[in-house]
Amino acid sequence: MDILRYPARGVWSTLISRALASQASQVTDVVSAIMDDVALRGDTALREYEERFTGAHAESLAVGKDEIERAASLISVELRDAIESAARNIAAFHSAEMPLPVEVETAPGVVCMQRPVAIERVGLYIPGGNSPLFSTVLMLAVPAKIAGCPDIELCTPADADGSIHPAILYAAKVAGVDRIFRTGGAQAIAAMTFGTATVPRVDKIFGPGNRYVMEAKQQAALHGCAIDMPAGPSEVLVVADDSADPVFVASDFLSQAEHGPDSQSILLTTSPRLIDCLPAIIDEMLSRLPRRDMMMKSLGHSRLILMHDDAEMMEFSNLYAPEHLILNHRDADRLCTMVRNAGSVFVGPWSPESAGDYASGTNHTLPTSGYARAYSGVNIDSFMRKITFQKLTREGIAGIAPVVIAMAEAESLDAHALAAKVRTTTY
Amino acid sequence: MDILRYPARGVWSTLISRALASQASQVTDVVSAIMDDVALRGDTALREYEERFTGAHAESLAVGKDEIERAASLISVELRDAIESAARNIAAFHSAEMPLPVEVETAPGVVCMQRPVAIERVGLYIPGGNSPLFSTVLMLAVPAKIAGCPDIELCTPADADGSIHPAILYAAKVAGVDRIFRTGGAQAIAAMTFGTATVPRVDKIFGPGNRYVMEAKQQAALHGCAIDMPAGPSEVLVVADDSADPVFVASDFLSQAEHGPDSQSILLTTSPRLIDCLPAIIDEMLSRLPRRDMMMKSLGHSRLILMHDDAEMMEFSNLYAPEHLILNHRDADRLCTMVRNAGSVFVGPWSPESAGDYASGTNHTLPTSGYARAYSGVNIDSFMRKITFQKLTREGIAGIAPVVIAMAEAESLDAHALAAKVRTTTY
C-alpha cells in the first residue's frame, strides 16, 4: 500500500490511474476465432469448446427442469432463506425504479409520448470457477423479470462432471430465469450473440467474466448485440474522517481486495491517526483470511491518502469516479450531495460494501475504471427501451407545418417539407 | 422498389435485412492513425487535418462569441422563429422525461436511493457539408441542458473559408451550448476523446456523421469515452390500411429516401390498391424533387409488401425493429399497443416522420439497423447517470448481516462476510 500525505494536485492524475491490464491482441484473436466458429458451427462448436476448456462432456447443453428442482435440496436451508431474502430486497428497490409513461401535448394537437417497453430477450452470463456467483444471478434476473422481459436466458459453465452449482440454479429459479444453458467463456457469449440450434440469440447480454468473456462481449456489441457496460477490475474508494472505526475501514479494504489481484482500494482521509494505524490492522486481519496471497497483490496497488479537508476529498473522489464509494464520515449525508461521479455509494459507518454486494437491494453490477463518469450501474432501465410516440391531429400538423417546412428547406431536405405540405395544402 | 405479395414467413429474415455497407478495414486503419495522432500532437494535428480535409485554414479552433452573436443576423427571421419554436417543443417533451429520485426502505434500517445526476461534460458532433444539421444541434443540446450537464461542447467542421453555417451557431446559442470548436471528422471525435489544449476531453460523445466519424466513435468507446449509440443508415417502416392516402405514404417514403442512398423505406399494407398505385405517385413526386438520383438509389432497396392482416404486419414490424414507424391506419391507436421494437412511432395519418425530425418535441436521434431491439433513442437519460446510495443504521446492518454472511461464505468471499461481522459482533 502506498501512503501519501497531502499530495499536490499535479500528481492527482497519477493517483487516479487504474491498474489496467492492457488487452493482449492474442486475446482478441482467440476470441474472434471462437465467435466465428460458433456462428458457423453452432452447438457442435459449443460442445467441443466446453470439453476442451472445462473437461465437461455435456450430454445436453440445456439444463433440465428436474436438475433445477433438485438444486433446492442440495443447499442449506440457511442459504435458501438468504437467497430469497436478498431477492426480496432487490425486487423492492428495482420495482421502485420502474419508469412511468410520459405524455405531453407540446403544441395544440401535437401529443408526444414516451413508453417504457421491456427488451424481448436478454442473456445473462454467470462465470464458473471456485466462487459460484449466484448473487449476480439475482442482480441480473430479478430486475429483468420486474422490467417484464418475456425471455430470460442464462449461460454458465458446468464443472468437469457436467453439473452446475446448485446455488446458481436455485437463485435462477427464485429470480424467474426461463432457461439455463451449460456453456461458458467466450463461446457462451458467441452463442447468445448469433444463436445456435439450442441457445437462442438474445438482444442484450449482461454479466461479468474473465478477459476472454469481456473481449467476447465487446465483439458481440460490434455484431449488433447490446451489452450491459464495459468492465474492468473492481474498486472501492473510502472517504473517512476521524470518526471512522479503523477496523471497519480495514474490513472494507479487504472485501475489495478479495475480488481479484487487479482490484484497487483507495482511502481518502483527513485523519493522520487512521493512516497510521490502518496497515497493522489490515496485516492482522489478512493473517486470518484464506485468500491472503491474492489480497496482497491487490493491496500492492492500493493507496492511503491524507488530505486537507472534505472538499478536497470529494473533488478527488469525483475525479476518480469510483465503482463503490464508502462515506465513513460523521457528515456522510452532506458529502452525499457532493457526489457527482460514482457507481454506488455506501453512506455512514454501518453501510459496508458487502451489504450492497448482496442484500441491501441496490445492484452490484456497476461501472468500473472511471466509467461512472458516463454510465449508470445496472438498473431497471438496463432491461427496457423508451419508445417515443407522437400523434398529431389535422390541426396539430397545420400548426407546426410552417416550422417543419422552414427547417427542412434550410437543411435542403425538400421531401421532408413535402410530407408536411401534402398534409396541409391541396397537393 | 421490390413489390412482394403475401411473402411466406420463411423469407421474412431476408426481407428484414438492411443494406449495410460492410466497414472496410481501410477505414478502421485511417481512423486509428488519426486517433493516435490527435492524442499525441493535439491542436497541431487538428489544424493540419482540417486544412487537409476541408481546405479551411482555421486561425482559431474555438469559435468566438462575436461570431456566434453575428449568426442571428445572417439567417431569416422565419428560420430563427422556427428554431426557437422547435426548441420549445423539444424542451417541453424532454423536461417531462426527467427521472425522479427513488427512495425505498427495503428492510428495517436499510434505506436505498437512486438519484439521477447529469453527466459533467458532453461533446456533440454536428457534420458539415451541404445540409447544415442545425436540427440535430437542438435534439442533442436542448436535453443536455435540461438534464443539467454543466459543460456542453460542440464540434463541427468549418467551410473552406473558415466559417460555420449561421443556423448551426444560432441553434447552439438557443439551446445553451457552452463552447463551439471548428473541427470535424474523425479528428474532432479524437479531440473530444483525449482532449487537446483547446478542445476539452468529454465524458460522452453524441451525434451523427459519415463512416469515418462512426468508426471514430466506436474507437472512442474502446478508449473509455462513452457514445450515444451505434449507428447505421436511416430507415422507415410504414404500416398502412386502405384508409391511408397514397400521397401521404409516397411523401413519407421520399422523406426517408432523401436521407441518403443507403436509406431504406418499407411499406406493409393490407391494401392491394395502395401497392398498385404507389409507384406511379412516387415517380411523379420524384420528378419534382432536386435529389432525384440519390433517392432512386435509396428506393432501389425499398420494399412494398402486401400482407394478410394487422397482426401479421405488426409481427413483421417488431421483427424489423424500425428506427421510424409510421402507423397510417384507421386503428393506429390499437396498433400502438402492439409495438415492441421501434425507435419512434408516428401515429395516424397526420403524423409524418418530418414532424418528429424537427418539431413535435420527440428526439430524432434514434436506433437504426435493428438496434431498437435493445437501445432507446436519445432521451433525457442519455445525459445522466443514476447513482445508487444505501444508508444502513446499526439495526439495519444487524438485520441483514445473516443474509450477507451466508451468501458471502457460500461464494467463498470471507472478507465480505468479515465486513458485516465487524459491524455486528465484537471483533
Side-chain angles (χ1 to χ4, degrees), chain B residues 47-89:
Chain B
R47 283 205 185 81
E48 285 177 17
Y49 287 118
E50 287 312 315
E51 195 159 350
R52 191 191 311 170
F53 295 139
T54 70
H57 183 69
E59 285 169 41
S60 166
L61 288 166
V63 176
K65 282 207 189 311
D66 52 332
E67 191 173 342
I68 297 170
E69 290 303 325
R70 206 163 49 234
S73 65
L74 299 175
I75 58 175
S76 68
V77 176
E78 185 195 20
L79 185 55
R80 288 208 301 271
D81 288 349
I83 288 173
E84 288 165 23
S85 175
R88 272 194 303 274
N89 290 353

mmCIF file of all heavy atoms in Angstrom, chain B residues 47-89:
data_model
loop_
_atom_site.group_PDB
_atom_site.id
_atom_site.type_symbol
_atom_site.label_atom_id
_atom_site.label_comp_id
_atom_site.label_asym_id
_atom_site.label_seq_id
_atom_site.Cartn_x
_atom_site.Cartn_y
_atom_site.Cartn_z
ATOM 1 N N ARG B 47 -5.389 21.040 -36.542
ATOM 2 C CA ARG B 47 -5.312 22.088 -37.574
ATOM 3 C C ARG B 47 -4.869 21.523 -38.910
ATOM 4 O O ARG B 47 -5.395 21.879 -39.966
ATOM 5 C CB ARG B 47 -4.348 23.184 -37.118
ATOM 6 C CG ARG B 47 -4.938 24.103 -36.082
ATOM 7 C CD ARG B 47 -4.259 25.480 -36.081
ATOM 8 N NE ARG B 47 -4.799 26.272 -34.982
ATOM 9 C CZ ARG B 47 -4.392 26.154 -33.712
ATOM 10 N NH1 ARG B 47 -3.438 25.299 -33.391
ATOM 11 N NH2 ARG B 47 -4.948 26.885 -32.770
ATOM 12 N N GLU B 48 -3.891 20.607 -38.877
ATOM 13 C CA GLU B 48 -3.407 20.010 -40.128
ATOM 14 C C GLU B 48 -4.512 19.208 -40.824
ATOM 15 O O GLU B 48 -4.688 19.320 -42.037
ATOM 16 C CB GLU B 48 -2.214 19.090 -39.849
ATOM 17 C CG GLU B 48 -0.934 19.866 -39.562
ATOM 18 C CD GLU B 48 0.231 18.940 -39.213
ATOM 19 O OE1 GLU B 48 0.138 17.720 -39.499
ATOM 20 O OE2 GLU B 48 1.213 19.447 -38.658
ATOM 21 N N TYR B 49 -5.249 18.419 -40.047
ATOM 22 C CA TYR B 49 -6.323 17.617 -40.666
ATOM 23 C C TYR B 49 -7.416 18.522 -41.234
ATOM 24 O O TYR B 49 -7.945 18.262 -42.313
ATOM 25 C CB TYR B 49 -6.933 16.639 -39.650
ATOM 26 C CG TYR B 49 -6.027 15.478 -39.336
ATOM 27 C CD1 TYR B 49 -5.553 15.274 -38.049
ATOM 28 C CD2 TYR B 49 -5.650 14.572 -40.332
ATOM 29 C CE1 TYR B 49 -4.710 14.205 -37.754
ATOM 30 C CE2 TYR B 49 -4.816 13.507 -40.044
ATOM 31 C CZ TYR B 49 -4.347 13.325 -38.754
ATOM 32 O OH TYR B 49 -3.527 12.274 -38.474
ATOM 33 N N GLU B 50 -7.774 19.582 -40.501
ATOM 34 C CA GLU B 50 -8.826 20.475 -41.004
ATOM 35 C C GLU B 50 -8.405 21.053 -42.351
ATOM 36 O O GLU B 50 -9.189 21.116 -43.290
ATOM 37 C CB GLU B 50 -9.094 21.610 -40.009
ATOM 38 C CG GLU B 50 -9.828 21.181 -38.752
ATOM 39 C CD GLU B 50 -11.059 20.325 -39.024
ATOM 40 O OE1 GLU B 50 -11.852 20.670 -39.921
ATOM 41 O OE2 GLU B 50 -11.208 19.285 -38.359
ATOM 42 N N GLU B 51 -7.161 21.486 -42.432
ATOM 43 C CA GLU B 51 -6.686 22.104 -43.673
ATOM 44 C C GLU B 51 -6.653 21.059 -44.793
ATOM 45 O O GLU B 51 -7.061 21.336 -45.918
ATOM 46 C CB GLU B 51 -5.298 22.718 -43.445
ATOM 47 C CG GLU B 51 -4.917 23.677 -44.556
ATOM 48 C CD GLU B 51 -3.826 24.658 -44.131
ATOM 49 O OE1 GLU B 51 -3.497 24.714 -42.922
ATOM 50 O OE2 GLU B 51 -3.310 25.362 -45.024
ATOM 51 N N ARG B 52 -6.200 19.856 -44.454
ATOM 52 C CA ARG B 52 -6.097 18.827 -45.490
ATOM 53 C C ARG B 52 -7.480 18.407 -46.008
ATOM 54 O O ARG B 52 -7.703 18.261 -47.195
ATOM 55 C CB ARG B 52 -5.365 17.601 -44.926
ATOM 56 C CG ARG B 52 -4.986 16.608 -46.019
ATOM 57 C CD ARG B 52 -4.497 15.260 -45.484
ATOM 58 N NE ARG B 52 -3.480 15.399 -44.451
ATOM 59 C CZ ARG B 52 -3.044 14.369 -43.711
ATOM 60 N NH1 ARG B 52 -3.532 13.166 -43.907
ATOM 61 N NH2 ARG B 52 -2.126 14.548 -42.782
ATOM 62 N N PHE B 53 -8.450 18.205 -45.080
ATOM 63 C CA PHE B 53 -9.741 17.640 -45.487
ATOM 64 C C PHE B 53 -10.751 18.686 -45.968
ATOM 65 O O PHE B 53 -11.616 18.387 -46.778
ATOM 66 C CB PHE B 53 -10.357 16.823 -44.337
ATOM 67 C CG PHE B 53 -9.556 15.610 -43.963
ATOM 68 C CD1 PHE B 53 -9.384 15.252 -42.631
ATOM 69 C CD2 PHE B 53 -8.964 14.812 -44.946
ATOM 70 C CE1 PHE B 53 -8.645 14.128 -42.283
ATOM 71 C CE2 PHE B 53 -8.213 13.690 -44.598
ATOM 72 C CZ PHE B 53 -8.052 13.355 -43.264
ATOM 73 N N THR B 54 -10.720 19.884 -45.426
ATOM 74 C CA THR B 54 -11.753 20.859 -45.787
ATOM 75 C C THR B 54 -11.169 22.074 -46.485
ATOM 76 O O THR B 54 -11.920 22.903 -46.987
ATOM 77 C CB THR B 54 -12.517 21.359 -44.538
ATOM 78 O OG1 THR B 54 -11.637 22.187 -43.763
ATOM 79 C CG2 THR B 54 -13.006 20.204 -43.683
ATOM 80 N N GLY B 55 -9.839 22.210 -46.477
ATOM 81 C CA GLY B 55 -9.242 23.401 -47.066
ATOM 82 C C GLY B 55 -9.308 24.601 -46.140
ATOM 83 O O GLY B 55 -8.787 25.670 -46.443
ATOM 84 N N ALA B 56 -9.982 24.415 -44.981
ATOM 85 C CA ALA B 56 -10.125 25.546 -44.062
ATOM 86 C C ALA B 56 -8.817 25.792 -43.322
ATOM 87 O O ALA B 56 -8.222 24.866 -42.772
ATOM 88 C CB ALA B 56 -11.249 25.264 -43.058
ATOM 89 N N HIS B 57 -8.368 27.011 -43.307
ATOM 90 C CA HIS B 57 -7.176 27.357 -42.542
ATOM 91 C C HIS B 57 -7.655 28.115 -41.309
ATOM 92 O O HIS B 57 -7.767 29.346 -41.317
ATOM 93 C CB HIS B 57 -6.234 28.212 -43.395
ATOM 94 C CG HIS B 57 -4.958 28.528 -42.687
ATOM 95 N ND1 HIS B 57 -4.001 27.561 -42.419
ATOM 96 C CD2 HIS B 57 -4.496 29.681 -42.154
ATOM 97 C CE1 HIS B 57 -3.002 28.126 -41.769
ATOM 98 N NE2 HIS B 57 -3.277 29.398 -41.587
ATOM 99 N N ALA B 58 -7.994 27.333 -40.264
ATOM 100 C CA ALA B 58 -8.612 27.949 -39.088
ATOM 101 C C ALA B 58 -7.559 28.655 -38.241
ATOM 102 O O ALA B 58 -6.630 28.024 -37.756
ATOM 103 C CB ALA B 58 -9.316 26.887 -38.263
ATOM 104 N N GLU B 59 -7.702 29.969 -38.118
ATOM 105 C CA GLU B 59 -6.784 30.682 -37.230
ATOM 106 C C GLU B 59 -7.064 30.249 -35.797
ATOM 107 O O GLU B 59 -6.171 30.020 -35.007
ATOM 108 C CB GLU B 59 -6.978 32.187 -37.364
ATOM 109 C CG GLU B 59 -6.363 32.728 -38.660
ATOM 110 C CD GLU B 59 -6.794 34.152 -38.918
ATOM 111 O OE1 GLU B 59 -6.841 34.935 -37.942
ATOM 112 O OE2 GLU B 59 -7.101 34.475 -40.079
ATOM 113 N N SER B 60 -8.350 30.169 -35.478
ATOM 114 C CA SER B 60 -8.706 29.783 -34.127
ATOM 115 C C SER B 60 -9.664 28.604 -34.161
ATOM 116 O O SER B 60 -10.679 28.637 -34.859
ATOM 117 C CB SER B 60 -9.356 30.979 -33.420
ATOM 118 O OG SER B 60 -9.978 30.546 -32.242
ATOM 119 N N LEU B 61 -9.350 27.541 -33.434
ATOM 120 C CA LEU B 61 -10.255 26.388 -33.375
ATOM 121 C C LEU B 61 -11.536 26.761 -32.637
ATOM 122 O O LEU B 61 -12.627 26.330 -33.001
ATOM 123 C CB LEU B 61 -9.566 25.211 -32.672
ATOM 124 C CG LEU B 61 -8.456 24.509 -33.466
ATOM 125 C CD1 LEU B 61 -7.637 23.599 -32.562
ATOM 126 C CD2 LEU B 61 -9.055 23.707 -34.615
ATOM 127 N N ALA B 62 -11.409 27.548 -31.581
ATOM 128 C CA ALA B 62 -12.589 27.943 -30.805
ATOM 129 C C ALA B 62 -13.341 29.042 -31.539
ATOM 130 O O ALA B 62 -12.739 29.995 -32.027
ATOM 131 C CB ALA B 62 -12.161 28.419 -29.420
ATOM 132 N N VAL B 63 -14.661 28.880 -31.635
ATOM 133 C CA VAL B 63 -15.485 29.894 -32.291
ATOM 134 C C VAL B 63 -15.753 31.025 -31.280
ATOM 135 O O VAL B 63 -16.166 30.749 -30.145
ATOM 136 C CB VAL B 63 -16.807 29.281 -32.781
ATOM 137 C CG1 VAL B 63 -17.717 30.349 -33.381
ATOM 138 C CG2 VAL B 63 -16.523 28.181 -33.793
ATOM 139 N N GLY B 64 -15.511 32.267 -31.713
ATOM 140 C CA GLY B 64 -15.631 33.407 -30.798
ATOM 141 C C GLY B 64 -17.082 33.795 -30.528
ATOM 142 O O GLY B 64 -17.984 33.493 -31.316
ATOM 143 N N LYS B 65 -17.281 34.456 -29.395
ATOM 144 C CA LYS B 65 -18.630 34.896 -29.013
ATOM 145 C C LYS B 65 -19.235 35.840 -30.057
ATOM 146 O O LYS B 65 -20.432 35.790 -30.342
ATOM 147 C CB LYS B 65 -18.585 35.608 -27.653
ATOM 148 C CG LYS B 65 -18.482 34.649 -26.471
ATOM 149 C CD LYS B 65 -19.091 35.277 -25.214
ATOM 150 C CE LYS B 65 -18.797 34.426 -23.973
ATOM 151 N NZ LYS B 65 -19.106 32.993 -24.147
ATOM 152 N N ASP B 66 -18.395 36.706 -30.623
ATOM 153 C CA ASP B 66 -18.891 37.669 -31.607
ATOM 154 C C ASP B 66 -19.435 36.954 -32.848
ATOM 155 O O ASP B 66 -20.484 37.318 -33.390
ATOM 156 C CB ASP B 66 -17.773 38.646 -31.999
ATOM 157 C CG ASP B 66 -16.507 37.900 -32.424
ATOM 158 O OD1 ASP B 66 -16.291 36.763 -31.930
ATOM 159 O OD2 ASP B 66 -15.746 38.440 -33.256
ATOM 160 N N GLU B 67 -18.728 35.889 -33.258
ATOM 161 C CA GLU B 67 -19.169 35.124 -34.430
ATOM 162 C C GLU B 67 -20.537 34.475 -34.144
ATOM 163 O O GLU B 67 -21.404 34.424 -35.016
ATOM 164 C CB GLU B 67 -18.118 34.054 -34.752
ATOM 165 C CG GLU B 67 -18.340 33.378 -36.095
ATOM 166 C CD GLU B 67 -17.183 32.443 -36.475
ATOM 167 O OE1 GLU B 67 -16.087 32.562 -35.893
ATOM 168 O OE2 GLU B 67 -17.410 31.581 -37.352
ATOM 169 N N ILE B 68 -20.704 34.000 -32.913
ATOM 170 C CA ILE B 68 -21.973 33.367 -32.541
ATOM 171 C C ILE B 68 -23.088 34.410 -32.495
ATOM 172 O O ILE B 68 -24.194 34.197 -33.002
ATOM 173 C CB ILE B 68 -21.836 32.635 -31.177
ATOM 174 C CG1 ILE B 68 -20.803 31.507 -31.304
ATOM 175 C CG2 ILE B 68 -23.179 32.094 -30.705
ATOM 176 C CD1 ILE B 68 -20.394 30.864 -29.987
ATOM 177 N N GLU B 69 -22.795 35.575 -31.933
ATOM 178 C CA GLU B 69 -23.797 36.641 -31.848
ATOM 179 C C GLU B 69 -24.220 37.099 -33.241
ATOM 180 O O GLU B 69 -25.394 37.369 -33.494
ATOM 181 C CB GLU B 69 -23.248 37.831 -31.049
ATOM 182 C CG GLU B 69 -23.084 37.561 -29.550
ATOM 183 C CD GLU B 69 -24.384 37.114 -28.884
ATOM 184 O OE1 GLU B 69 -25.455 37.601 -29.280
ATOM 185 O OE2 GLU B 69 -24.326 36.229 -27.992
ATOM 186 N N ARG B 70 -23.242 37.193 -34.152
ATOM 187 C CA ARG B 70 -23.496 37.676 -35.510
ATOM 188 C C ARG B 70 -24.425 36.726 -36.285
ATOM 189 O O ARG B 70 -25.124 37.154 -37.217
ATOM 190 C CB ARG B 70 -22.162 37.812 -36.244
ATOM 191 C CG ARG B 70 -22.157 38.841 -37.359
ATOM 192 C CD ARG B 70 -20.730 39.237 -37.776
ATOM 193 N NE ARG B 70 -19.875 38.082 -38.013
ATOM 194 C CZ ARG B 70 -18.683 37.900 -37.419
ATOM 195 N NH1 ARG B 70 -18.224 38.781 -36.538
ATOM 196 N NH2 ARG B 70 -17.944 36.839 -37.698
ATOM 197 N N ALA B 71 -24.417 35.439 -35.883
ATOM 198 C CA ALA B 71 -25.156 34.431 -36.659
ATOM 199 C C ALA B 71 -26.633 34.787 -36.810
ATOM 200 O O ALA B 71 -27.228 34.591 -37.880
ATOM 201 C CB ALA B 71 -25.006 33.056 -36.009
ATOM 202 N N ALA B 72 -27.225 35.346 -35.769
ATOM 203 C CA ALA B 72 -28.660 35.650 -35.804
ATOM 204 C C ALA B 72 -29.010 36.543 -36.990
ATOM 205 O O ALA B 72 -30.058 36.379 -37.629
ATOM 206 C CB ALA B 72 -29.086 36.303 -34.494
ATOM 207 N N SER B 73 -28.114 37.462 -37.294
ATOM 208 C CA SER B 73 -28.415 38.413 -38.365
ATOM 209 C C SER B 73 -28.208 37.809 -39.749
ATOM 210 O O SER B 73 -28.556 38.412 -40.757
ATOM 211 C CB SER B 73 -27.543 39.663 -38.212
ATOM 212 O OG SER B 73 -26.186 39.296 -38.399
ATOM 213 N N LEU B 74 -27.611 36.620 -39.792
ATOM 214 C CA LEU B 74 -27.295 36.014 -41.090
ATOM 215 C C LEU B 74 -28.346 35.005 -41.547
ATOM 216 O O LEU B 74 -28.221 34.424 -42.623
ATOM 217 C CB LEU B 74 -25.917 35.330 -41.034
ATOM 218 C CG LEU B 74 -24.744 36.261 -40.719
ATOM 219 C CD1 LEU B 74 -23.448 35.478 -40.569
ATOM 220 C CD2 LEU B 74 -24.599 37.330 -41.816
ATOM 221 N N ILE B 75 -29.358 34.762 -40.714
ATOM 222 C CA ILE B 75 -30.446 33.873 -41.150
ATOM 223 C C ILE B 75 -31.775 34.624 -41.059
ATOM 224 O O ILE B 75 -31.873 35.638 -40.375
ATOM 225 C CB ILE B 75 -30.497 32.554 -40.334
ATOM 226 C CG1 ILE B 75 -30.663 32.851 -38.833
ATOM 227 C CG2 ILE B 75 -29.257 31.700 -40.576
ATOM 228 C CD1 ILE B 75 -30.851 31.608 -37.990
ATOM 229 N N SER B 76 -32.775 34.086 -41.751
ATOM 230 C CA SER B 76 -34.054 34.796 -41.834
ATOM 231 C C SER B 76 -34.783 34.784 -40.497
ATOM 232 O O SER B 76 -34.572 33.904 -39.662
ATOM 233 C CB SER B 76 -34.939 34.145 -42.902
ATOM 234 O OG SER B 76 -35.335 32.852 -42.460
ATOM 235 N N VAL B 77 -35.638 35.777 -40.314
ATOM 236 C CA VAL B 77 -36.481 35.827 -39.115
ATOM 237 C C VAL B 77 -37.326 34.561 -39.037
ATOM 238 O O VAL B 77 -37.506 33.971 -37.969
ATOM 239 C CB VAL B 77 -37.422 37.058 -39.181
ATOM 240 C CG1 VAL B 77 -38.367 37.064 -37.974
ATOM 241 C CG2 VAL B 77 -36.614 38.342 -39.232
ATOM 242 N N GLU B 78 -37.824 34.134 -40.178
ATOM 243 C CA GLU B 78 -38.662 32.934 -40.239
ATOM 244 C C GLU B 78 -37.910 31.712 -39.698
ATOM 245 O O GLU B 78 -38.447 30.920 -38.918
ATOM 246 C CB GLU B 78 -39.042 32.723 -41.709
ATOM 247 C CG GLU B 78 -40.016 31.597 -41.963
ATOM 248 C CD GLU B 78 -40.049 31.233 -43.455
ATOM 249 O OE1 GLU B 78 -39.075 31.569 -44.190
ATOM 250 O OE2 GLU B 78 -41.038 30.616 -43.871
ATOM 251 N N LEU B 79 -36.630 31.563 -40.094
ATOM 252 C CA LEU B 79 -35.854 30.415 -39.645
ATOM 253 C C LEU B 79 -35.516 30.545 -38.159
ATOM 254 O O LEU B 79 -35.551 29.557 -37.411
ATOM 255 C CB LEU B 79 -34.582 30.255 -40.487
ATOM 256 C CG LEU B 79 -33.739 29.000 -40.188
ATOM 257 C CD1 LEU B 79 -34.557 27.724 -40.311
ATOM 258 C CD2 LEU B 79 -32.521 28.925 -41.122
ATOM 259 N N ARG B 80 -35.226 31.761 -37.724
ATOM 260 C CA ARG B 80 -34.969 31.965 -36.285
ATOM 261 C C ARG B 80 -36.198 31.562 -35.467
ATOM 262 O O ARG B 80 -36.089 30.857 -34.465
ATOM 263 C CB ARG B 80 -34.628 33.436 -35.988
ATOM 264 C CG ARG B 80 -33.258 33.869 -36.471
ATOM 265 C CD ARG B 80 -32.698 35.003 -35.605
ATOM 266 N NE ARG B 80 -33.540 36.195 -35.586
ATOM 267 C CZ ARG B 80 -33.442 37.205 -36.453
ATOM 268 N NH1 ARG B 80 -32.536 37.160 -37.424
ATOM 269 N NH2 ARG B 80 -34.227 38.256 -36.360
ATOM 270 N N ASP B 81 -37.368 32.014 -35.917
ATOM 271 C CA ASP B 81 -38.611 31.662 -35.210
ATOM 272 C C ASP B 81 -38.834 30.147 -35.204
ATOM 273 O O ASP B 81 -39.251 29.571 -34.193
ATOM 274 C CB ASP B 81 -39.825 32.338 -35.873
ATOM 275 C CG ASP B 81 -39.847 33.839 -35.606
ATOM 276 O OD1 ASP B 81 -39.059 34.299 -34.749
ATOM 277 O OD2 ASP B 81 -40.641 34.545 -36.257
ATOM 278 N N ALA B 82 -38.555 29.519 -36.343
ATOM 279 C CA ALA B 82 -38.756 28.063 -36.443
ATOM 280 C C ALA B 82 -37.834 27.339 -35.468
ATOM 281 O O ALA B 82 -38.256 26.413 -34.759
ATOM 282 C CB ALA B 82 -38.499 27.596 -37.876
ATOM 283 N N ILE B 83 -36.582 27.766 -35.407
ATOM 284 C CA ILE B 83 -35.615 27.136 -34.493
ATOM 285 C C ILE B 83 -36.066 27.305 -33.044
ATOM 286 O O ILE B 83 -36.034 26.361 -32.250
ATOM 287 C CB ILE B 83 -34.198 27.727 -34.722
ATOM 288 C CG1 ILE B 83 -33.642 27.205 -36.055
ATOM 289 C CG2 ILE B 83 -33.261 27.395 -33.565
ATOM 290 C CD1 ILE B 83 -32.323 27.842 -36.491
ATOM 291 N N GLU B 84 -36.540 28.498 -32.711
ATOM 292 C CA GLU B 84 -36.984 28.736 -31.332
ATOM 293 C C GLU B 84 -38.233 27.927 -30.999
ATOM 294 O O GLU B 84 -38.367 27.391 -29.891
ATOM 295 C CB GLU B 84 -37.234 30.230 -31.110
ATOM 296 C CG GLU B 84 -35.927 31.022 -31.068
ATOM 297 C CD GLU B 84 -36.142 32.521 -31.209
ATOM 298 O OE1 GLU B 84 -37.260 33.001 -30.914
ATOM 299 O OE2 GLU B 84 -35.192 33.204 -31.652
ATOM 300 N N SER B 85 -39.129 27.833 -31.965
ATOM 301 C CA SER B 85 -40.356 27.089 -31.744
ATOM 302 C C SER B 85 -40.065 25.595 -31.564
ATOM 303 O O SER B 85 -40.588 24.931 -30.653
ATOM 304 C CB SER B 85 -41.283 27.328 -32.944
ATOM 305 O OG SER B 85 -42.431 26.560 -32.841
ATOM 306 N N ALA B 86 -39.199 25.049 -32.418
ATOM 307 C CA ALA B 86 -38.817 23.636 -32.288
ATOM 308 C C ALA B 86 -38.133 23.402 -30.941
ATOM 309 O O ALA B 86 -38.421 22.414 -30.251
ATOM 310 C CB ALA B 86 -37.890 23.240 -33.434
ATOM 311 N N ALA B 87 -37.248 24.315 -30.556
ATOM 312 C CA ALA B 87 -36.531 24.168 -29.279
ATOM 313 C C ALA B 87 -37.517 24.129 -28.110
ATOM 314 O O ALA B 87 -37.339 23.347 -27.170
ATOM 315 C CB ALA B 87 -35.526 25.304 -29.096
ATOM 316 N N ARG B 88 -38.558 24.947 -28.178
ATOM 317 C CA ARG B 88 -39.564 24.951 -27.102
ATOM 318 C C ARG B 88 -40.279 23.605 -26.992
ATOM 319 O O ARG B 88 -40.481 23.084 -25.899
ATOM 320 C CB ARG B 88 -40.606 26.057 -27.349
ATOM 321 C CG ARG B 88 -40.251 27.426 -26.771
ATOM 322 C CD ARG B 88 -41.465 28.357 -26.747
ATOM 323 N NE ARG B 88 -42.051 28.538 -28.075
ATOM 324 C CZ ARG B 88 -41.653 29.444 -28.969
ATOM 325 N NH1 ARG B 88 -40.642 30.254 -28.696
ATOM 326 N NH2 ARG B 88 -42.253 29.541 -30.126
ATOM 327 N N ASN B 89 -40.666 23.043 -28.138
ATOM 328 C CA ASN B 89 -41.359 21.747 -28.105
ATOM 329 C C ASN B 89 -40.445 20.628 -27.601
ATOM 330 O O ASN B 89 -40.857 19.765 -26.825
ATOM 331 C CB ASN B 89 -41.899 21.391 -29.498
ATOM 332 C CG ASN B 89 -43.054 22.288 -29.911
ATOM 333 O OD1 ASN B 89 -43.540 23.094 -29.113
ATOM 334 N ND2 ASN B 89 -43.475 22.172 -31.158
#
